[in-house]
Amino acid sequence: MAKPLVAIVGRPNVGKSTFFNQMVGKRIAIVEDTPGVTRDRVYADCEWQNYKFTLIDTGGIDPTSDDPLLSQMRRQAEIAIETCDVILFFVDGRAGLTADDENVADMLRKSGKPVMLVVNKVDNVRMMDDVYEFYNLGMGDPIGVSSVNLLNFGDLLEALCEKFPEPDEEEERDSAIQIAVTGKPNVGKSSLVNRLLGEERVMVSDIAGTTRDAIDTRFTAPDGQEYVLIDTAGIRRKRAIAYQSLERFSIVRALAAIDRCDVALLVIDATQGVTEQDSKIAGYIDEQGKAAVIVVNKWDAIEKDTRTMNEHVAKIREEMKFMAYAPVIFISALTGQRTARVLETVKAVYEQASRRITTGLLNDILADAQAALQPPATSGRRLKIYYATQQATNPPAFVMFVNDATLMHFSYERYLEGQFRKAFGFEGTPLRFILRERKKED
């Protein structure tokens, strides 16, 4: 289930960034008692009582200002509103209801998104009477909080999470495979999407940053399999992005596309090879546990001999050791060379990520692996793995019951992963191991 996106919006200087920092547990957003300090959107993953969601901080909305910077900040907040699932509308309990609050409320009503009205700077229970004035906004029951001393945070988060699906609730499975087409700007993502679709669905340009939004396109392949292609904005290094640029706000959509996809295509420019940013995007895909295919585009522009392809694969494996499970394919979106292999590989990888291994077979392989290489010992104590079971798919996750989780060395975990892959395949998908301690019964 994709993590819900929650946007914090409101006029300048109502304490949005302070709330954001308290939620994520560290000082990510800049906090200063000056309107307009938060100029770009900041986002972070949060968790509260088993509910996971992504929180987006935005610059203050000044609906009437003609100032170029404030207008840009307003546009960035609008993008956050369009993207999110729930809006936290912040107002200032000390300052009281203002005309700008009413203008922001009008804008939020037009969005059609669920809105929670949060009256901030209510620093003690004696100030709770200041909350009632905000009923005049017609945005439902206001919740008074203090971002400084965390007053009423529990009530706010409980009300917020009620708007999310239950964490264990099974969504009806769409038969279409969701594919996020990711990568740096100008590596040919949109050209690849158009080639796979057989038409010019997505604007293509040599100018980096042409694609600003994540665009979903559903289609059916000749074999009858349905796919949803999500073309995303190119993800550049932060220092390469102008501070007030809308491109900063496109990145969260690209990352959200990775969060909700089944398979991520990481498109790399063959003429540039693997760059630091390619590795960072790959790292995010791996962290999110997504099946992946590395697509080396612009292969037609490379002078080749019989060793060229193997040399490129070796470089990719060296730079992305953590993603050794991902197949590498070489294509040209411009000429159509090998593009037919993309969907074939995606389908195969998705099937591998969806595999479920019976507990009996899993433990047979685990026993053979331990017999071939004994678990490590530390300070005279040896790791004992009693048994394992598969907990989930996409990615495949395995629970191992052990005597002491601290005795599991990363090298032995990597060894077990290799044995599982040798026995079951799992090409294209990361594997997850969860250790649970269990005392051996006498």
Side-chain angles (χ1 to χ4, degrees):
M1 183 181 295
K3 292 190 291 290
L5 291 173
V6 179
I8 311 169
V9 301
R11 62 180 177 81
N13 205 31
V14 294
K16 299 183 298 298
S17 294
T18 303
F19 172 79
F20 177 84
N21 290 337
Q22 292 280 27
M23 281 298 303
V24 301
K26 53 187 175 181
R27 198 173 187 274
I28 293 178
I30 300 170
V31 179
E32 185 177 320
D33 194 20
T34 304
V37 169
T38 304
R39 298 182 181 181
D40 61 344
R41 181 175 54 193
V42 187
Y43 54 92
D45 289 337
C46 300
E47 183 174 355
W48 190 79
Q49 293 192 355
N50 295 324
Y51 287 90
K52 296 180 180 180
F53 56 96
T54 299
L55 198 62
I56 310 171
D57 186 25
T58 67
I61 302 174
D62 189 338
T64 59
S65 175
D66 293 327
D67 179 87
L69 175 57
L70 292 176
S71 297
Q72 185 79 10
M73 289 163 58
R74 181 170 64 245
R75 177 56 188 143
Q76 292 170 348
E78 288 171 352
I79 294 174
I81 292 167
E82 294 165 8
T83 307
C84 75
D85 299 296
V86 182
I87 298 167
L88 295 181
F89 174 23
F90 266 60
V91 293
D92 187 336
R94 292 180 191 167
L97 182 61
T98 69
D100 283 346
D101 291 328
E102 293 175 346
N103 290 332
V104 174
D106 289 339
M107 185 178 79
L108 296 182
R109 268 189 285 269
K110 295 175 184 176
S111 73
K113 297 292 181 70
V115 179
M116 294 179 57
L117 178 58
V118 183
V119 183
N120 194 25
K121 304 185 184 180
V122 180
D123 295 332
N124 56 68
V125 292
R126 295 188 300 275
M127 298 177 65
M128 281 298 173
D129 289 346
D130 297 337
V131 168
Y132 300 120
E133 177 185 9
F134 292 93
Y135 275 102
N136 293 320
L137 288 173
M139 304 295 288
D141 295 331
I143 301 177
V145 304
S146 171
S147 295
V148 174
N149 60 32
L150 308 184
L151 180 68
N152 272 359
F153 261 42
D155 291 345
L156 172 61
L157 293 173
E158 183 175 351
L160 172 63
C161 291
E162 285 177 356
K163 298 184 179 297
F164 303 156
E166 288 295 324
D168 296 327
E169 182 180 324
E170 288 290 336
E171 293 180 333
E172 184 177 345
R173 172 65 197 166
D174 187 347
S175 60
I177 300 174
Q178 310 272 335
I179 307 172
V181 186
T182 67
K184 297 184 308 180
N186 208 28
V187 294
K189 298 185 299 298
S190 295
S191 296
L192 174 58
V193 169
N194 288 334
R195 176 65 66 174
L196 295 175
L197 295 172
E199 55 183 302
E200 294 292 321
R201 285 280 188 95
V202 183
M203 181 170 59
V204 178
S205 169
D206 288 334
I207 301 172
T210 300
T211 303
R212 293 212 179 273
D213 298 335
I215 302 168
D216 290 19
T217 307
R218 180 181 290 265
F219 72 102
T220 303
D223 64 358
Q225 174 64 54
E226 286 193 334
Y227 297 91
V228 175
L229 280 174
I230 313 168
D231 186 28
T232 65
I235 304 174
R236 289 199 285 168
R237 293 173 300 171
K238 286 186 177 181
R239 62 177 177 269
I241 304 172
Y243 191 63
Q244 298 100 312
S245 169
L246 286 178
E247 187 176 346
R248 280 187 177 268
F249 294 90
S250 302
I251 290 174
V252 76
R253 283 184 168 175
L255 298 182
I258 293 172
D259 288 347
R260 64 188 171 92
C261 78
D262 297 312
V263 180
L265 297 182
L266 175 57
V267 184
I268 294 174
D269 187 335
T271 63
Q272 298 179 11
V274 178
T275 67
E276 178 185 359
Q277 189 63 1
D278 292 325
S279 295
K280 287 182 177 179
I281 299 169
Y284 186 82
I285 294 169
D286 180 71
E287 286 172 4
Q288 299 307 305
K290 299 299 178 178
V293 179
I294 299 172
V295 180
V296 183
N297 191 26
K298 306 184 183 180
W299 193 238
D300 57 305
I302 297 293
E303 292 186 9
K304 297 176 278 291
D305 58 31
T306 56
R307 300 185 304 275
T308 306
M309 187 175 290
N310 289 336
E311 289 171 352
H312 273 73
V313 171
K315 290 178 181 177
I316 290 170
R317 297 304 187 204
E318 177 63 27
E319 296 294 330
M320 299 182 183
K321 293 179 180 178
F322 57 88
M323 198 178 264
Y325 53 81
V328 181
I329 56 178
F330 296 82
I331 70 161
S332 169
L334 180 65
T335 67
Q337 180 185 16
R338 296 195 190 90
T339 52
R341 287 194 57 199
V342 173
L343 293 182
E344 295 173 4
T345 308
V346 164
K347 186 175 181 180
V349 160
Y350 176 71
E351 290 172 351
Q352 290 291 304
S354 305
R355 287 195 67 185
R356 187 171 286 278
I357 310 301
T358 64
T359 300
L361 181 57
L362 183 65
N363 283 281
D364 286 344
I365 298 302
L366 180 60
D368 290 344
Q370 293 185 84
L373 180 62
Q374 200 173 29
T378 302
S379 301
R381 298 190 64 224
R382 186 171 301 280
L383 173 70
K384 295 179 181 179
I385 305 175
Y386 301 125
Y387 68 97
T389 184
Q390 185 171 353
Q391 182 186 61
T393 61
N394 303 102
F398 304 94
V399 177
M400 292 186 180
F401 293 87
V402 301
N403 61 331
D404 186 345
T406 62
L407 297 176
M408 174 68 83
H409 194 272
F410 76 90
S411 61
Y412 197 74
E413 186 172 314
R414 189 168 53 194
Y415 162 73
L416 292 178
E417 178 179 340
Q419 294 301 302
F420 281 17
R421 291 189 185 279
K422 182 179 179 181
F424 307 122
F426 291 129
E427 183 185 25
T429 180
L431 302 182
R432 297 289 185 258
F433 293 102
I434 303 161
L435 302 182
R436 291 184 182 166
E437 294 182 0
R438 177 181 175 183
K439 292 182 180 180
K440 187 175 181 180
E441 298 179 358
D442 295 331

